[in-house]
Amino acid sequence: MPEGTPVYQPGFNPGSICKAPPTGGSYGTPVAEGAGFKYDEATLHELVKEWRELAQEYTDDLDQAEYIAKVKPPGREYASGDNATITRLSGQALVEALGQRIAYCKSMADKYVAALGKYATAEDHTTSVINQQPKGIF
């Protein structure tokens, strides 16, 4: 990658230089056993938050896109009617695309919530196993 090329940083908004970098987890470390990533609990919470925020941003945009999908012609002449028809078709395509993006973001957030549940279950199991060990051996 050429020097000076912007690099994606989760949680970083380039429009707000004063914003502190995310304090969540590591955003995954490669897994030696094969494909995938391992996330710590803080990272999972941060990812859920970010996916939900992105879904909300798309939902806010959807509210505005619906105005485009329902636009009325500015005048009664032929050109105004055609212009409004094309604009409505474009608005409807935008509404559909935003709906898909909202569903995707919510799905991703749900996956990380499920991972948090598995993380908590594994923590509980490990704690239970440790607590069942005989005391005073060491």
Side-chain angles (χ1 to χ4, degrees):
M1 189 177 296
E3 194 171 336
T5 302
V7 177
Y8 173 69
Q9 297 176 16
F12 177 72
N13 178 358
S16 174
I17 300 300
C18 296
K19 182 177 179 183
T23 57
S26 62
Y27 278 89
T29 53
V31 178
E33 302 88 39
F37 289 89
K38 290 183 180 178
Y39 295 112
D40 60 18
E41 187 176 7
T43 299
L44 290 172
H45 283 289
E46 183 67 21
L47 288 168
V48 170
K49 177 179 173 258
E50 288 186 16
W51 280 109
R52 286 183 175 161
E53 286 175 354
L54 187 56
Q56 184 58 53
E57 288 179 33
Y58 283 134
T59 300
D60 295 343
D61 292 343
L62 181 62
D63 293 340
Q64 297 299 313
E66 287 175 353
Y67 287 113
I68 298 170
K70 297 174 184 175
V71 71
K72 302 283 186 221
R76 293 184 181 266
E77 78 279 356
Y78 178 75
S80 291
D82 280 353
N83 187 354
T85 300
I86 298 301
T87 301
R88 279 193 301 272
L89 290 173
S90 179
Q92 289 167 356
L94 178 58
V95 166
E96 288 177 25
L98 289 171
Q100 292 170 355
R101 284 170 176 80
I102 292 165
Y104 181 81
C105 290
K106 288 181 177 180
S107 172
M108 290 302 293
D110 291 345
K111 288 177 184 180
Y112 287 115
V113 168
L116 275 166
K118 290 178 184 177
Y119 186 93
T121 300
E123 273 301 299
D124 291 344
H125 174 72
T126 302
T127 302
S128 174
V129 169
I130 290 171
N131 289 338
Q132 291 177 4
Q133 298 297 318
K135 307 282 189 236
I137 293 178
F138 297 102

